[in-house]
Amino acid sequence: MTEIRRARPEDIPTIAAFTERTFDWGDYVADLLPGWLDASDGAVFVAVDDHDVPIAMARGTLLSPTEAWFHAARVHPDHRGKGIAGELALVLTGWASERGADVGRLLIEDWNEASHRQVAKTGMRPVARFHRAERAVGEASVRPEGNGGRRVARPVRTRLARSAEAPAAFASWSVGPLARRARNLFARGWSFRRLRDHDLVGAAKEETFWEIGSGWAIVRPSGASVEVGWVETRPDEAFGFLWGLVDLATETGREELVVWLPDERWLTRAAQQVGFETRGMQVYTIEL
Ligand SMILES: CC(C)(COP(=O)(O)OP(=O)(O)OC[C@H]1O[C@@H](n2cnc3c(N)ncnc32)[C@H](O)[C@@H]1OP(=O)(O)O)[C@@H](O)C(=O)NCCC(=O)NCCS
């Protein structure tokens, strides 16, 4: 058994050093760690060696009173393959359960074989697949017509939706194919939780709830990007709907549009036709 304790500010340099080259592009952990240690809605745990030096970390947060999210699992390259991430996961699930969560989830990209193997050992099960669809928009876009092809969809009307429309949008989604595929989850940033009708009311108040043709979406500016974490559309309208999102993102003057798509073939195919690059990911879940 490896010793596991809460992370402290003095651990930051050690963690920053062993996460410097986690991925080809580096890692975001060192930048975000100071804020995570100050935040009250989450906890960072570290596994330490015999000298109390961190050799692994992972973080949990509560996305709602009953839903936990686990992420940022990082094991020092010299200590991988020893089951340490699994030991951290046990501590995190205990932490979340003590705080009232009855479910915990996490996200793994398709390419990350080590992570898929690791979480399978902890009793988590795959619950929903999503595709992260990314496309440059506005001046950053070198191919405004998508895939070099012709834009055949007529522009759809996009307008801010009102809270009064939330029940209709929620009902449409709940009985349609997308909620089923998404297992009622939606994205915010890189995390997922269950959508409730009051989330759409909240989005209307924040002016992020949009009517796109006869569908709806939650559209949030995020840095240089526009992020769409929830979509409700139908197969015969998906192409025009996605163009509507491109138009909307272009109007904001941002450079990139990111749309989280539930794993429906007609939807990912429409996204590719509109010029999005898509990457598959799996949400895993565990009952606490
Ligand atoms: C994913 C990660 C957290 C797993 O942690 P871990 O403590 O090594 O997990 P495990 O010991 O259970 O090993 C999991 C799998 O890693 C692979 N693995 C084993 N030894 C390894 C090593 N020395 N180096 C790299 N991967 C190794 C194996 O596929 C193993 O599965 P198996 O036991 O069924 O053969 C760790 O590899 C890591 O930090 N990766 C980089 C960061 C990352 O991808 N985080 C997750 C983002 S979602």
Side-chain angles (χ1 to χ4, degrees):
M1 282 289 281
T2 316
E3 194 191 324
I4 292 177
R5 61 161 171 81
R6 290 286 280 258
R8 308 177 190 128
E10 57 270 29
D11 298 326
I12 292 175
T14 310
I15 296 171
F18 76 72
T19 56
E20 213 175 3
R21 278 187 282 275
T22 306
F23 305 111
D24 295 346
W25 49 268
D27 202 335
Y28 57 80
V29 157
D31 290 340
L32 298 186
L33 203 44
W36 289 345
L37 295 185
D38 282 344
S40 57
D41 62 343
V44 180
F45 287 92
V46 287
V48 294
D49 67 11
D50 295 344
H51 306 287
D52 198 37
V53 176
I55 52 171
M57 66 158 285
R59 178 172 188 251
T61 56
L62 288 179
L63 299 182
S64 79
T66 57
E67 295 166 289
W69 184 255
F70 306 129
H71 74 136
R74 302 287 187 268
V75 177
H76 188 300
D78 295 345
H79 295 277
R80 291 183 189 163
K82 302 177 188 172
I84 296 175
E87 294 182 50
L88 276 164
L90 261 182
V91 173
L92 276 177
T93 49
W95 170 87
S97 161
E98 278 165 20
R99 273 148 197 85
D102 55 26
V103 61
R105 303 187 189 97
L106 53 78
L107 181 73
I108 299 180
E109 296 204 40
D110 286 354
W111 62 265
N112 198 337
E113 180 62 25
S115 275
H116 289 286
R117 292 179 74 101
Q118 187 270 312
V119 298
K121 287 185 273 185
T122 61
M124 296 199 92
R125 57 189 172 77
V127 66
R129 255 178 81 65
F130 285 86
H131 299 264
R132 183 177 162 92
E134 298 176 348
R135 187 193 194 281
V137 291
E139 287 177 14
S141 173
V142 290
R143 46 173 186 179
E145 297 305 308
N147 269 355
R150 224 158 29 91
R151 174 178 179 155
V152 287
R154 250 184 298 129
V156 299
R157 194 169 75 125
T158 58
R159 64 164 188 86
L160 270 175
R162 287 169 287 114
S163 345
E165 290 166 69
F170 187 76
S172 168
W173 181 70
S174 302
V175 299
L178 295 183
R180 195 170 57 243
R181 278 286 178 197
R183 296 292 185 93
N184 300 315
L185 302 175
F186 77 114
R188 176 139 190 181
W190 287 78
S191 55
F192 289 76
R193 68 172 171 83
R194 189 174 265 270
L195 185 87
R196 295 172 179 83
D197 53 2
H198 62 74
D199 289 315
L200 297 181
V201 173
K205 287 189 181 135
E206 281 180 353
E207 302 199 337
T208 57
F209 178 37
W210 284 82
E211 191 183 315
I212 315 283
S214 60
W216 291 273
I218 297 180
V219 182
R220 294 174 55 243
S222 170
S225 305
V226 169
E227 188 194 67
V228 180
W230 174 80
V231 294
E232 166 55 0
T233 182
R234 295 292 149 116
D236 53 335
E237 293 172 1
F239 188 70
F241 176 89
L242 290 163
W243 270 115
L245 291 176
V246 170
D247 292 341
L248 191 56
T250 303
E251 278 163 30
T252 67
R254 298 246 177 358
E255 292 169 9
E256 186 194 38
L257 171 61
V258 174
V259 189
W260 289 96
L261 303 172
D263 185 31
E264 276 287 348
R265 186 82 191 100
W266 52 266
L267 191 53
T268 48
R269 181 172 292 185
Q272 282 150 7
Q273 285 167 353
V274 175
F276 285 88
E277 304 274 348
T278 62
R279 279 148 68 191
M281 334 224 157
Q282 184 72 53
V283 177
Y284 284 82
T285 188
I286 190 163
E287 276 76 45
L288 301 176

